[in-house]
Amino acid sequence: MTQQKVKRVRDLVDGVLLLDKPVGLSSNDALIKAKRILNAKKAGHTGTLDPFATGLLPLCFGEATKFSQDLLEADKTYVTTVHLGVRTDTGDTEGQVLETLPVQVTVEQIEAVLARFRGPIAQVPPMYSALKRDGKPLYEYARAGVVLEREARNVTIHKLELLGYEAPFLRLEVTCSKGTYIRVLGEDIGAALGCGAHLNALRRIGVGALRAEQMITAEQLVAHPAPLELLAPVDALLRSFPKVDLTPELARRFLQGQRLPLGKEPEVVTPAPYEGRVRVYQGTRLLGTGVLGEWAILAPERLIAAAQS
């Protein structure tokens, strides 16, 4: 007689884990491990980090998953080490060396080249990426030796700062828009310097308003006797939005999906003349997000289920 496997009962866990992803672990594997440790029913991450990269990987649980898209759209900040003079097929240290060239560049030449990459630029996505063509990731074509044409995409480099240069290693801090490939940026900088390059190391230190100082290591997560205490609240994802605090009656109507003319409500302070997305509370209770429009009319957007019960 075969013994029937008992299905594990998961808990309703709400919050955000700001994980310091270690090198060698994929973002999906990191999510699976954290979900198991927290015994969480629902989880998702907010954009992947390559296995060789480390740093800030926000993992969302329960109600926080409703707002994970906001971090996918957010700017990211990285510290990276670019190895000049060596090109690899993946653009990073995990690839096969394609070419080695002498490195004879000065700090002045580096600064002049970096200036060319600040602001709006066009990037050609790498073959070793998860972008899909005909339902198959580009990296599968690359591993088969197939190179496909890729259209350049517009991204923005908000900040590109030289942290240090000890030939052949170049340390940079980069803040960029969504969709930016730091591997491609490193390769393009190397090409502009005439010596080629690849990424030797990559560490993410910021996602939107979230910063590395708030991170939890994998070891801390495993060792903590009450790991749920390590979660940041759901609204940690929304701190960049202005706050609106509603009265109990307005909160009830907001949770029913009603549009609220807050300009006619003297008890409610609105971030006038701001128009756009806001985080909405009733006291200390997060209700969700809304869109504040003309005449301070608040329209519900994404609501917290627990607030409705």
Side-chain angles (χ1 to χ4, degrees), residues 83-89 96-102 194-198:
H83 187 165
L84 299 178
V86 179
R87 293 178 53 243
T88 70
D89 58 358
Q96 299 295 315
V97 174
L98 298 176
E99 185 179 25
T100 301
L101 295 169
C195 59
H198 71 279

Side-chain angles (χ1 to χ4, degrees), residues 2-305:
T2 59
Q3 188 174 7
Q4 189 174 8
K5 188 176 180 180
V6 178
K7 188 175 181 180
R8 184 175 183 175
V9 178
R10 299 281 186 177
D11 297 329
L12 294 175
V13 174
D14 298 320
V16 185
L17 180 68
L18 304 181
L19 182 70
D20 185 354
K21 190 190 83 65
V23 68
L25 189 68
S26 74
S27 297
N28 194 53
D29 285 344
L31 176 65
I32 291 171
K33 289 186 177 183
K35 183 179 179 182
R36 183 172 65 246
I37 291 170
L38 297 171
N39 197 42
K41 186 174 183 179
K42 186 177 182 181
H45 56 64
T46 56
T48 61
L49 273 176
D50 290 337
F52 94 100
T54 65
L56 183 55
L57 180 67
L59 302 178
C60 297
F61 298 90
E63 293 290 273
T65 60
K66 293 180 178 178
F67 309 103
S68 59
Q69 184 65 31
D70 296 317
L71 290 193
L72 287 171
E73 304 286 331
D75 294 339
K76 315 292 192 301
T77 300
Y78 301 87
V79 171
T80 185
T81 301
V82 181
H83 187 165
L84 299 178
V86 179
R87 293 178 53 243
T88 70
D89 58 358
T90 60
D92 58 40
T93 190
E94 295 189 319
Q96 299 295 315
V97 174
L98 298 176
E99 185 179 25
T100 301
L101 295 169
V103 179
Q104 296 176 332
V105 297
T106 65
V107 170
E108 291 73 23
Q109 289 173 318
I110 292 168
E111 289 285 14
V113 164
L114 295 184
R116 292 158 49 184
F117 289 92
R118 296 185 182 111
I121 64 171
Q123 270 195 345
V124 177
M127 278 301 301
Y128 280 90
S129 70
L131 292 178
K132 291 187 177 182
R133 181 75 61 84
D134 297 328
K136 188 163 70 170
L138 290 182
Y139 63 75
E140 290 190 11
Y141 292 99
R143 289 170 181 169
V146 178
V147 178
L148 301 176
E149 288 289 326
R150 287 99 64 206
E151 288 188 10
R153 305 197 306 183
N154 294 323
V155 298
T156 302
I157 308 299
H158 301 291
K159 176 182 179 182
L160 181 55
E161 179 183 347
L162 177 62
L163 300 180
Y165 175 52
E166 293 183 13
F169 298 106
L170 187 65
R171 291 190 69 244
L172 305 171
E173 182 173 330
V174 185
T175 299
C176 55
S177 65
K178 69 167 185 174
T180 303
Y181 287 93
I182 306 299
R183 281 180 292 144
V184 174
L185 179 63
E187 289 181 306
D188 289 348
I189 289 170
L193 289 168
C195 59
H198 71 279
L199 290 197
N200 179 265
L202 179 64
R203 183 165 179 78
R204 188 157 68 188
I205 60 172
V207 178
L210 304 175
R211 289 294 176 262
E213 293 78 15
Q214 306 161 298
M215 291 190 300
I216 303 298
T217 67
E219 290 77 16
Q220 288 174 316
L221 179 63
V222 171
H224 201 283
L228 290 177
E229 295 178 359
L230 299 176
L231 292 179
V234 173
D235 65 354
L237 301 177
L238 307 173
R239 298 285 166 82
S240 62
F241 299 154
K243 179 180 178 180
V244 172
D245 189 8
L246 301 179
T247 64
E249 173 58 22
L250 290 175
R252 182 188 66 79
R253 292 167 56 192
F254 178 81
L255 292 173
Q256 290 177 344
Q258 296 183 30
R259 291 161 58 89
L260 305 176
L262 298 186
K264 299 179 180 180
E265 301 290 342
E267 295 181 68
V268 178
V269 177
T270 59
Y274 173 84
E275 293 183 14
R277 298 182 70 198
V278 293
R279 50 192 170 117
V280 183
Y281 296 78
Q282 193 267 300
T284 59
R285 182 177 58 145
L286 176 67
L287 306 180
T289 57
V291 178
L292 198 62
E294 192 176 12
W295 311 113
I297 294 176
L298 177 66
E301 186 191 37
R302 298 176 193 151
L303 303 180
I304 297 294

